[in-house]
Amino acid sequence: MTYQHIAYAVEARIATITLNRPERMNAWTMIMEREVRDAMERAGADKDVRVIVLTGAGRAFCAGADMDELKDLDPNDIKDQSWMRPFDMNRRPDWQTRYSFYPAIEKPVIGMINGAAAGIGLVHALYCDIRFAAEAAVYTTSFARRGLIAEHGLSWMLPRIVGHANALDLLLSARKITGAEALAMGLVNKLFPADQLAARTYDYARDLADNVSPRSMAVIKRQMYEVPFQTLAEATISANHEMGLSVRSNDFREGVAHFIEKRQARFSGD
């Protein structure tokens, strides 16, 4: 696919997906929606990619839906079959909806929030596994101030990240919050000065790409996103099964060998 509203690049086993409409603060479009999903799945399938970074060009991460599209939005768009994918009965349906596909990507997805994240932009930031942000970035759900509701699974995802009371506050008021408040409630993992955000994010991403087993990351990510649907016993049974597979893997042998030999890891993902 040739991209119009995003940029895609791979370097040092890190794929960067950049929302690329800086003149419109990366306002979300239907073109961008298709392109982001294509790029995420492309990076997920690329054996040369171990970590994915999602960010925005210019001064914003994503300022929400493009108003030119939103004002003419078809009420039936949300249920339009053109957005649906063939259902895979071998995978959890929760991670096959229009926007909830991020947890099904078997690689860490880091949201590098360089500026404002609002509405649908915040939805995508929250579906990332980890969020690093510029200190000056601001956040808002925005939906209630547009006559809309908590869409695309946000009513499920947001409380699991910031807690029930904080989620209700953010959704009902749709107020803007600062980086400091976002950090305090766990909406973001870390804050950095704007001029350090990229360097610190890619330092973290490179550490994952160079020093951590891709196989382990894929299994751990799957475990974490299964937990809301499991009892403790079920999570333990699943972990026991995965542990048995792990100790038979090449990455386990390499994990022990590089530690004993005091050298750089050479994980294959197998």
Side-chain angles (χ1 to χ4, degrees), residues 42-255:
R42 174 180 173 183
D46 187 344
K47 293 192 182 210
D48 292 328
V49 170
R50 294 194 175 180
V51 183
I52 303 167
V53 174
L54 177 67
T55 192
R59 62 193 179 94
F61 177 76
C62 175
D66 188 296
M67 286 299 170
D68 290 342
E69 290 192 2
L70 190 62
K71 66 183 176 60
D72 297 319
L73 185 64
D74 182 346
N76 295 313
D77 171 76
I78 196 69
K79 298 178 181 178
D80 193 313
Q81 290 297 311
S82 68
W83 295 111
M84 307 306 168
R85 300 294 180 92
F87 179 72
D88 181 353
M89 65 184 297
N90 297 308
R91 294 193 297 121
R92 181 170 290 285
D94 302 85
W95 310 131
Q96 297 187 60
T97 66
R98 185 166 167 180
Y99 291 103
S100 72
F101 59 89
Y102 287 60
I105 306 289
E106 292 191 338
K107 294 170 185 179
V109 180
I110 303 171
M112 185 166 72
I113 305 172
N114 53 302
I120 192 64
L122 184 60
V123 169
H124 282 270
L126 292 173
Y127 275 121
C128 293
D129 303 310
I130 298 165
R131 286 161 293 280
F132 294 162
E135 290 174 340
V138 295
Y139 313 82
T140 176
T141 59
S142 80
F143 300 120
R145 296 188 184 228
R146 302 289 175 268
L148 298 172
I149 50 82
E151 60 182 5
H152 303 304
L154 191 60
S155 61
W156 190 93
M157 200 69 169
L158 186 59
R160 282 161 176 77
I161 295 172
V162 302
H164 181 81
N166 284 328
L168 274 172
D169 168 26
L170 296 181
L171 288 166
L172 292 175
S173 72
R175 64 187 179 87
K176 292 180 181 177
I177 65 168
T178 64
E181 190 172 1
L183 181 65
M185 67 174 63
L187 187 70
V188 299
N189 296 79
K190 291 184 182 296
L191 291 180
F192 300 110
D195 61 353
Q196 296 180 26
L197 176 63
R200 298 293 291 273
T201 301
Y202 283 106
D203 281 348
Y204 182 91
R206 278 190 294 272
D207 183 46
L208 295 185
D210 295 343
N211 299 313
V212 181
S213 157
R215 185 186 182 284
S216 292
M217 289 193 290
V219 173
I220 289 168
K221 179 170 175 175
R222 185 167 67 248
Q223 286 179 289
M224 291 297 290
Y225 284 111
E226 286 290 317
V227 161
F229 310 101
Q230 293 175 321
T231 64
L232 173 58
E234 290 167 338
T236 303
I237 291 166
S238 175
N240 290 344
H241 171 72
E242 293 293 349
M243 191 67 172
L245 298 176
S246 291
V247 297
R248 296 179 177 90
S249 71
N250 290 331
D251 272 9
F252 171 71
R253 286 187 284 275
E254 172 61 14

Side-chain angles (χ1 to χ4, degrees), residues 7-38:
Y8 182 84
V10 177
E11 184 177 352
R13 297 188 290 192
I14 302 166
T16 301
I17 300 169
T18 305
L19 309 181
N20 196 27
R21 303 181 73 217
E23 74 287 353
R24 298 297 297 268
M25 295 182 69
N26 303 318
W28 192 261
T29 66
M30 292 183 179
I31 290 173
M32 187 179 284
E33 174 169 344
R34 290 186 175 92
E35 292 181 350
V36 166
R37 184 155 191 177
D38 180 86

